[in-house]
Amino acid sequence: ADDGSNIWTFEPGNVIISSPAVVGDYVYFGSYDTNFYCLEKHEKTLKWKFRTYSHIGSTPLITDNNGNEISRPLSTRLHSKGNLKEGIVHFGSLDNRHYALSLNGDLLWNFKTNHFVATCPTVYKNVVYFGSYDRYFYALKANSGDFVWRYLTNGGNESSPNIKNDTIFFGSVDGFIYSLRLDGFMKWKFMTNHTVGCSPIIDNDNIFVGSFDGYLYSLTLDGELIWKFRTGYEFGPPKFSDKINELITPTTKKFIH
């Protein structure tokens, strides 16, 4: 509620570590109880649930059937554009799979990698992009799950990708920030000194991303360092304030800068 009071509470069988997606009257999220849920947001009524083979830690992404993103976790707030009649819910699971469900909870397809899938995917031009802890970054056809390409990094990939000017940006456990073309070829990579697990955000022509080396980095779209700021160990993705030109980022030292 506007005054901070609780409206309702829904308790799944285990913890929820991802962010929900809200589209129209419905809330979509996964749980460590292995289920993915869809609830009616005003009354917490369960519309459906879908069971995977392991924990779900990935924040879902929802698109219409044309591949247009309706929920966007990297924006400054959750948002929706009214109820959809048809669409696709994308998310990953620790059973090593990326799932695509209909808005009614039916399985459209799944794609199995060789390790955990914990990233929130991105869909762009009807291709879904996501990373896996098998060290590969994947591109699949969003409507069918058909394989397009994969790119091998030197570590697991839990950073959710962002796309600007037909270029994909994401971080890796190997400590690099990667820039790939849409055909899967690398444009550049930038080395930090520790895991890059949070998602890069892009404001105008600047990339902002944190690393577990304790620095928040600002890069150009060509991978050149603009500045870096010492905070504490980065934990969550940075965000811009809607009202003022400030960059806000949480850290594992419990500070918000």
Side-chain angles (χ1 to χ4, degrees):
D2 292 338
D3 61 1
S5 61
N6 183 49
I7 298 176
W8 54 257
T9 301
F10 179 83
E11 187 174 355
N14 208 326
V15 298
I16 302 168
I17 67 168
S18 63
S19 301
V22 180
V23 175
D25 294 328
Y26 298 99
V27 182
Y28 303 84
F29 63 93
S31 167
Y32 259 46
D33 68 4
T34 75
N35 290 304
F36 188 89
Y37 292 90
C38 176
L39 305 181
E40 205 284 330
K41 72 178 182 182
H42 299 292
E43 300 177 356
K44 81 164 185 180
T45 304
L46 178 65
K47 183 181 180 184
W48 52 260
K49 66 179 180 180
F50 178 88
R51 187 169 186 177
T52 68
Y53 298 99
S54 189
H55 309 313
I56 301 172
S58 165
T59 294
L61 175 73
I62 299 176
T63 71
D64 61 23
N65 282 347
N66 295 319
N68 299 307
E69 295 183 346
I70 304 302
S71 68
R72 186 59 182 153
L74 292 182
S75 66
T76 56
R77 59 182 296 271
L78 293 172
H79 65 281
S80 63
K81 299 180 179 179
N83 289 320
L84 288 177
K85 292 182 178 180
E86 295 183 331
I88 301 177
V89 183
H90 291 275
F91 66 95
S93 172
L94 301 193
D95 64 11
N96 306 346
R97 292 174 171 86
H98 176 92
Y99 287 89
L101 309 181
S102 73
L103 294 184
N104 293 319
D106 298 319
L107 177 66
L108 300 176
W109 55 265
N110 72 75
F111 181 90
K112 189 174 182 181
T113 72
N114 295 310
H115 214 307
F116 302 151
V117 179
T119 64
C120 175
T122 292
V123 173
Y124 183 70
K125 295 185 177 180
N126 279 314
V127 176
V128 58
Y129 300 95
F130 65 93
S132 168
Y133 267 88
D134 65 5
R135 301 191 299 160
Y136 282 101
F137 184 86
Y138 290 88
L140 311 175
K141 291 291 186 182
N143 290 328
S144 65
D146 292 339
F147 178 83
V148 180
W149 52 258
R150 65 181 185 177
Y151 179 85
L152 181 64
T153 66
N154 294 314
N157 299 301
E158 63 180 25
S159 168
S160 299
N162 211 336
I163 297 178
K164 173 85 171 182
N165 297 341
D166 288 345
T167 304
I168 307 159
F169 303 93
F170 67 96
S172 175
V173 173
D174 65 15
F176 283 94
I177 301 162
Y178 287 88
S179 171
L180 305 183
R181 298 184 337 205
L182 294 182
D183 58 8
F185 286 89
M186 186 181 72
K187 296 180 70 173
W188 54 260
K189 62 181 180 179
F190 179 90
M191 184 178 68
T192 73
N193 292 313
H194 212 304
T195 294
V196 181
C198 70
S199 305
I201 65 167
I202 302 171
D203 182 69
N204 295 320
D205 291 329
N206 294 342
I207 304 166
F208 300 92
V209 64
S211 168
F212 270 80
D213 65 8
Y215 284 95
L216 175 67
Y217 292 87
S218 174
L219 309 177
T220 69
L221 295 180
D222 294 322
E224 298 296 326
L225 178 67
I226 301 172
W227 52 257
K228 62 180 182 179
F229 176 75
R230 178 71 179 175
T231 59
Y233 287 99
E234 288 302 315
F235 189 76
K239 294 181 181 290
F240 277 95
S241 167
D242 286 334
K243 296 182 179 179
I244 52 178
N245 188 26
E246 287 186 350
L247 191 65
I248 302 172
T249 181
T251 76
T252 53
K253 287 188 176 182
K254 301 183 181 179
F255 297 121
I256 297 177
H257 296 269

